[in-house]
Amino acid sequence: MIPKKSFLTKGTGVHKDRLASFELALRAAKIEKFNLVSVSSILPPNCKVVPREEGLAELKPGAIVHCVLARNDTNEPHRLMAAAIGTAVPVNEDNYGYISEHHSFGEEEIIAGEYAEDLAATMLATTLGIEFNAEMAWHEREQVYKASGHIFDTFHMCQTANGDKDGKWTTVVAAMVFVTI
């Protein structure tokens, strides 16, 4: 069972109940109708990342669907939170890539998203033997990774939200969802 397609999605939900808030975030991400199984961080070889609508068209309600899921929630009014997925794709599509999830408080969308992207790229770079200075800023390391000729692309998806002003549960999710045909 090796997925040939995957897609990114994200969403936010707000409700007085924590679980219902999570459900609403999944609805916003359009993945509430599946039995989600969280998996770790490998982008399978030859797994094409497709637009969300294309991936969703191949899934049926009630299906057991594997995903890398980032989730965060709060009932603290105005508290900024993020859930992000980062992805690193190798040049050689016969090799596997990496997916990372990141959950944080107090980080703006671009910061949390780039952090997740950096995590995925660094995991892939270390498995490929790419030498780099871990103290370099992400944008500098990104250039080193891509110049190595081993990493084709890196990208991220991030969902941020501030906690509901009245203290209702607010949930954010971001996911890389696998389509197994």
Side-chain angles (χ1 to χ4, degrees):
M1 185 171 68
I2 299 175
K4 294 294 182 193
K5 293 182 182 179
S6 62
F7 64 91
L8 289 164
T9 190
K10 65 181 183 174
T12 302
V14 178
H15 196 276
K16 67 180 180 75
D17 295 311
R18 190 178 199 181
L19 182 60
S21 174
F22 177 55
E23 166 72 11
L24 292 172
L26 294 177
R27 284 183 190 177
K30 299 188 177 188
I31 55 174
E32 82 286 354
K33 62 183 78 56
F34 310 116
N35 290 301
L36 301 174
V37 178
S38 289
V39 296
S40 62
S41 56
I42 300 300
L43 180 67
N46 300 299
C47 185
K48 182 179 176 187
V49 180
V50 300
R52 178 173 72 175
E53 295 309 318
E54 181 180 333
L56 286 170
E58 297 191 37
L59 299 173
K60 301 208 181 324
I64 295 172
V65 176
H66 296 89
C67 65
V68 177
L69 180 68
R71 170 185 178 181
N72 208 347
D73 60 23
T74 188
N75 64 351
E76 182 180 329
H78 310 291
R79 186 170 192 192
L80 177 63
M81 66 183 151
I85 295 291
T87 308
V89 181
V91 168
N92 181 347
E93 294 178 358
D94 291 332
N95 290 335
Y96 61 88
Y98 272 91
I99 305 164
S100 67
E101 66 271 8
H102 175 62
H103 341 269
S104 63
F105 291 101
E107 285 183 334
E108 295 291 334
E109 183 173 337
I110 192 68
I111 301 298
E114 285 184 350
Y115 186 87
E117 186 175 341
D118 181 9
L119 282 171
T122 299
M123 289 188 290
L124 181 56
T126 58
T127 63
L128 295 172
I130 299 170
E131 293 188 24
F132 61 92
N133 178 350
E135 300 303 316
M136 294 169 84
W138 158 239
H139 292 290
E140 294 171 331
R141 275 184 288 119
E142 180 182 25
Q143 296 311 312
V144 170
Y145 297 159
K146 291 181 179 178
S148 73
H150 295 289
I151 297 180
F152 167 70
D153 198 11
T154 62
F155 47 91
H156 68 267
M157 178 166 280
C158 183
Q159 180 69 61
T160 59
N162 290 302
D164 178 72
K165 66 179 178 58
D166 297 321
K168 292 179 185 174
W169 282 99
T170 303
T171 302
V172 291
V173 297
M176 175 70 81
V177 180
F178 294 110
V179 178
T180 306
I181 306 168

